[in-house]
Amino acid sequence: MFSKQEAQQLKKEFWTAFGRSFPRKWILYDTKIKDMAFKFSADNKKVEVSLDIEMKDEIFRNAYYEKIWSLEDILKDFIGDFQKEEHFTLDNGKIISRIWIEKHNVSIFNKNTWQEIFEFFVDKMDGFERFYYEYEDFIKDI
């Protein structure tokens, strides 16, 4: 077990190593759609690459979710099997829509799994981005 400070240091090392291993400018928050972003996340049990639709206005959030969901089979071609939840509750209680793919049995706290995580991140985020660039005009047309 790590102290809080050790855990924070290891997380910092992880994200720094990822950035150095795969120096690339990702879309992330630069989707040109307010409150819609691609995200990387990692903890002690799994890692995820997600598309979070966080609009407060449920009508807009659902409209974007439905647009992307209408392209389900195409998205699967880009990233493989994924999960989706139209009403996903974050730890802080906020309701968002999320489409994500995850990898289990890896840990941000186990340096032996870092390369596996990095490769997963690059492969899946690249797929998400290629999908988004291909269908951006359709998705934005709300």
Side-chain angles (χ1 to χ4, degrees), residues 5-87:
Q5 186 177 7
E6 290 169 328
Q8 286 177 332
Q9 180 61 34
L10 206 49
K11 286 178 184 179
K12 182 179 176 183
E13 287 176 28
F14 171 86
W15 292 111
T16 300
F18 176 58
R20 286 187 180 141
S21 296
F22 297 94
R24 176 177 167 184
K25 182 164 173 40
W26 301 98
I27 293 176
L28 301 178
Y29 293 92
D30 194 22
T31 62
K32 309 289 190 263
I33 299 173
K34 185 174 172 27
D35 296 325
M36 181 158 59
F38 292 97
K39 297 183 180 179
F40 294 110
S41 60
D43 62 27
N44 63 337
K45 295 179 183 168
K46 69 179 182 327
V47 294
E48 295 177 352
V49 177
S50 67
L51 173 57
D52 290 0
I53 306 167
E54 302 184 41
M55 287 102 184
K56 289 179 181 140
D57 185 322
E58 188 175 354
I59 293 170
F60 278 105
R61 188 178 71 238
N62 291 343
Y64 282 109
Y65 178 82
E66 291 297 327
K67 277 276 191 152
I68 294 166
W69 186 236
S70 73
L71 302 168
E72 171 190 11
D73 291 335
I74 296 167
L75 178 56
K76 191 178 280 189
D77 289 341
F78 280 90
I79 66 170
D81 290 330
F82 58 89
Q83 297 179 56
K84 64 173 178 42
E85 195 165 326
E86 188 171 3
H87 304 285

Side-chain angles (χ1 to χ4, degrees), residues 98-109:
R98 175 176 277 177
I99 297 169
W100 77 97
I101 188 162
E102 58 189 21
K103 181 173 191 61
H104 292 270
N105 301 316
V106 292
S107 173
I108 194 171
F109 300 116

